[in-house]
């Protein structure tokens, strides 16, 4: 039986990415560029690539002789990813695949770098996800998993509670804890000293309560809260609550870096 299933939509993903790009104290693209360095000619796999938001950053790092391979379960987002790929100098392969179906259609030791930004924690089986992901990485290759820290986005939970009375939602609590509580220990067990985790302390300051409210409606927390409510959560009531906040949202991001020995 399948457990968690999150269906991302183009519109929601765009609203969130736009806020992160426009209002955060630093962009993840800049951080990623630094992490990647200049691995010219390397092969990079992105698992759960969405609309290809990070492709230009990868392309800049890999150059014309590199290769980007990317998959996602959502075909609408992949169409956008393919359009984004057409503008790159780096050759890019994009294909639909569910990362809970194993093995991935990739050969053993096919890539130098594996990146899963804000996607790995949607898996229903961390152990199989890790086993298959490590299989496709070359010896000496690098892995990077990014996602929410346990105490991420507390202000969003406070806003949600002000409006709906719902303090926590088990599905979002579980995904927020998964990188630190499941991926990290399992990777450490598989790769021992070659794994490290750090927290990136990002925050967003929304320019208006309307922007904060639109962001709230683009989250999984809203989706899961709405499923528990007898009547719809109204834009106006969230806006009223947002007006009472500082408009700050902490985006505490866990980065798990690993080297395959
Ligand atoms: C928050 S988005 C992140 C997208 C992109 N990595 C980024 O950072 O902009 C999460 C992505 O994971 C994908 N995803 C969720 N479950 C998946 C699965 N079982 N197999 C493949 N992709 C999945 C979603 O479709 C979505 O595009």
């Amino acid at each position: 039986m399948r457990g968690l299933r999150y269906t991302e939509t183009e519109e929601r993903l765009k609203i969130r990415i736009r806020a992160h790009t426009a209002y955060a104290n630093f962009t993840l693209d800049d951080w990623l560029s630094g992490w990647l360095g200049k691995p010219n000619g390397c092969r990079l796999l992105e698992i759960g690539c969405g609309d290809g938001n990070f492709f230009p950053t990868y392309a800049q790092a890999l150059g014309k002789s590199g290769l980007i391979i990317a998959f996602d379960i959502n075909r609408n987002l992949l169409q956008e990813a393919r359009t984004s790929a057409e503008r790159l100098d780096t050759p890019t392969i994009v294909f639909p695949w569910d990362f809970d179906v194993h093995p991935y259609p990739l050969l053993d030791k096919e890539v130098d770098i594996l990146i899963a930004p804000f996607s790995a924690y949607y898996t229903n089986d961390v152990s199989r996800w890790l086993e298959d992901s490590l299989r496709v990485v070359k010896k000496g290759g690098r892995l990077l998993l990014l996602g929410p820290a346990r105490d991420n986005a507390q202000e969003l939970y406070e806003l949600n509670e002000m409006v709906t009375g719902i303090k926590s939602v088990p599905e979002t609590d579980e995904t927020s804890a998964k990188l630190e509580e499941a991926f990290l220990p399992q990777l450490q067990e598989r790769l021992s000293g070659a794994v490290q985790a750090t927290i990136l302390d990002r925050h967003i300051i929304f320019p208006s309560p309307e922007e904060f409210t639109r962001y709230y409606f683009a989250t999984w927390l809203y989706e899961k809260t709405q499923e528990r409510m007898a009547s719809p959560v109204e834009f106006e009531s969230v806006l009223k609550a947002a007006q009472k906040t500082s408009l700050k949202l902490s985006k505490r991001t866990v980065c798990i870096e690993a080297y395959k020995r």
Side-chain angles (χ1 to χ4, degrees):
M1 198 178 80
R2 293 195 67 89
L4 296 168
R5 172 60 85 195
Y6 175 52
T7 309
E8 187 64 89
T9 69
E10 298 95 289
E11 201 195 334
R12 282 197 304 216
L13 187 60
K14 275 210 177 85
I15 289 172
R16 299 200 315 273
I17 290 175
R18 186 179 159 270
H20 301 159
T21 310
Y23 312 132
N25 51 339
F26 64 92
T27 71
L28 276 179
D29 302 75
D30 288 344
W31 184 88
L32 251 181
S33 288
W35 184 85
L36 282 166
K38 284 282 171 207
N40 266 311
C42 280
R43 293 174 163 227
L44 179 151
L45 168 66
E46 181 176 357
I47 297 186
C49 63
D51 64 359
N53 170 43
F54 289 120
F55 286 2
T57 305
Y58 304 149
Q60 215 173 24
L62 298 172
K64 285 183 185 165
S65 56
L67 177 68
I68 300 169
I69 306 170
F71 69 82
D72 198 286
I73 197 170
N74 184 318
R75 286 166 186 267
N76 292 332
L77 288 170
L78 282 179
Q79 284 298 348
E80 302 214 8
R82 186 154 286 176
T83 306
S84 157
E86 281 164 10
R87 294 191 286 265
L88 307 173
D89 284 337
T90 310
T92 304
I93 299 167
V94 172
F95 62 93
W97 194 262
D98 177 348
F99 57 51
D100 278 331
V101 175
H102 303 285
Y104 308 147
L106 293 162
L107 301 175
D108 293 356
K109 305 186 181 95
E110 196 166 347
V111 302
D112 305 277
I113 301 170
L114 182 149
I115 301 196
F118 305 94
S119 57
Y121 44 88
Y122 293 118
T123 182
N124 293 310
D125 190 334
V126 174
S127 175
R128 293 197 72 197
W129 191 101
L130 279 175
E131 186 182 346
D132 209 7
S133 296
L134 285 169
R135 175 185 67 79
V136 301
V137 177
K138 289 177 190 164
K139 253 187 170 177
R142 295 194 278 163
L143 287 89
L144 178 67
L145 312 186
L146 296 174
R150 261 180 297 236
D151 55 355
N152 178 49
Q154 285 311 308
E155 301 88 345
L156 207 58
Y157 285 86
E158 285 161 18
L159 181 70
N160 195 45
E161 191 183 357
M162 276 160 78
V163 178
T164 67
I166 293 176
K167 208 170 179 162
S168 78
V169 171
E171 294 93 326
T172 61
D173 289 349
E174 190 187 323
T175 47
S176 293
K178 225 178 207 174
L179 279 186
E180 284 166 287
E181 289 176 7
F183 279 91
L184 183 58
Q186 289 194 36
L187 252 180
Q188 278 165 336
E189 207 177 299
R190 286 169 193 268
L191 300 174
S192 59
V195 182
Q196 72 170 44
T198 43
I199 301 277
L200 291 183
D201 222 341
R202 283 195 305 152
H203 63 260
I204 294 174
I205 309 266
F206 290 97
S208 66
E210 285 80 5
E211 290 276 319
F212 193 8
T213 303
R214 267 193 286 278
Y215 187 96
Y216 166 80
F217 279 100
T219 62
W220 198 33
L221 175 64
Y222 156 70
E223 184 185 312
K224 289 289 140 193
T225 301
Q226 181 63 82
E227 284 171 16
R228 288 167 168 78
M229 304 287 289
S231 54
V233 180
E234 301 286 352
F235 188 90
E236 285 306 317
S237 50
V238 181
L239 182 60
K240 236 164 128 183
Q243 281 160 350
K244 295 184 196 139
T245 72
S246 66
L247 303 182
K248 181 177 173 183
L249 177 61
S250 311
K251 295 294 296 172
R252 287 173 56 77
T253 302
V254 189
C255 313
I256 300 180
E257 299 168 60
Y259 294 87
K260 186 172 167 188
R261 297 177 201 262

